Amino acid sequence: MKESNSIDIKKERIRLSRIGVLNSHLSSDPMASEKEAALAAVPSDSPTIFDKIISKEIPSKVVYEDDEVLAFRDISPQAPTHILIIPKVKDGLSGLSKAEERHCEILGRLLYTAKVVAKQEGLDDGFRIVINDGPSGCQSVYHIHVHLLGGRQMNWPPG
Ligand code: AMP
């Protein structure tokens, strides 16, 4: 891709990002604002809000923490239980599509933690795990995370 094209795409994404943030404040449909935020997010390996959550610069409701992972309640829950599980060290894993062989251990750790937290939350009848990836996958924060959703009947197919 030509450098000028790449700059134009970045500018357009920044413009959409501003519109997305504005709409997310104005929209009454939370699904629409989540999608707008995801479409407006710029895929990148730069630090995200999750780094500030890990460093405790911004508060979160932590439900589980060890040396490798942090689990905290989603600020915009889509189910009675909605928890995000993230690696403390991103190591290039802005999303699942960036996974390499060296990430197998942490990817397994994220899923295993989801199971531990599901048990801790009493989700004995079942739960759902989601990993959004990229704009089409509705990813809005580019620090890999597992969504743990439960406490209500899930539907299939997902939206
Ligand atoms: P995704 O759209 O898959 O990238 O998911 C990102 C999630 O992060 C969304 O469900 C947001 O609601 C959630 N989120 C964003 N900021 C925060 C925050 N400060 N605390 C907790 N969850 C957040």
Side-chain angles (χ1 to χ4, degrees):
M1 189 190 294
K2 274 184 162 172
E3 199 183 344
S4 58
N5 279 355
S6 158
I7 291 168
D8 285 348
I9 289 169
K10 278 185 187 150
K11 278 186 183 161
E12 181 60 7
R13 281 197 177 277
I14 289 167
R15 193 181 70 80
L16 284 169
S17 171
R18 290 186 180 135
I19 294 170
V21 169
L22 197 62
N23 281 345
S24 71
H25 289 299
L26 298 175
S27 173
S28 57
D29 178 354
M31 296 279 272
S33 59
E34 294 293 333
K35 188 173 162 189
E36 275 159 9
L39 287 175
V42 183
S44 121
D45 196 28
S46 306
T48 72
I49 191 162
F50 289 176
D51 291 285
K52 292 196 166 134
I53 288 176
I54 292 165
S55 66
K56 311 272 162 70
E57 268 175 80
I58 64 169
S60 69
K61 293 181 180 163
V62 173
V63 297
Y64 176 90
E65 180 168 14
D66 64 26
D67 288 347
E68 291 181 89
V69 303
L70 183 71
F72 54 96
R73 296 196 190 279
D74 196 294
I75 204 165
S76 173
Q78 305 301 314
T81 300
H82 187 171
I83 289 163
L84 300 174
I85 300 132
I86 67 173
K88 285 187 170 175
V89 177
K90 186 156 79 169
D91 185 25
L93 270 180
S94 50
L96 186 58
S97 56
K98 296 289 186 284
E100 295 181 10
E101 187 87 30
R102 71 174 191 277
H103 295 122
C104 285
E105 199 280 329
I106 189 64
L107 290 171
R109 177 65 48 191
L110 292 172
L111 280 185
Y112 180 68
T113 304
K115 174 259 171 181
V116 168
V117 173
K119 176 95 182 147
Q120 185 180 296
E121 293 286 312
L123 302 177
D124 299 326
D125 284 344
F127 51 85
R128 178 165 290 169
I129 293 302
V130 173
I131 300 176
N132 296 324
D133 190 275
S136 294
C138 233
Q139 182 175 5
S140 60
V141 178
Y142 282 82
H143 181 133
I144 195 169
H145 48 282
V146 170
H147 293 257
L148 167 65
L149 297 141
R152 66 167 167 83
Q153 179 59 53
M154 297 295 154
N155 298 309
W156 195 262

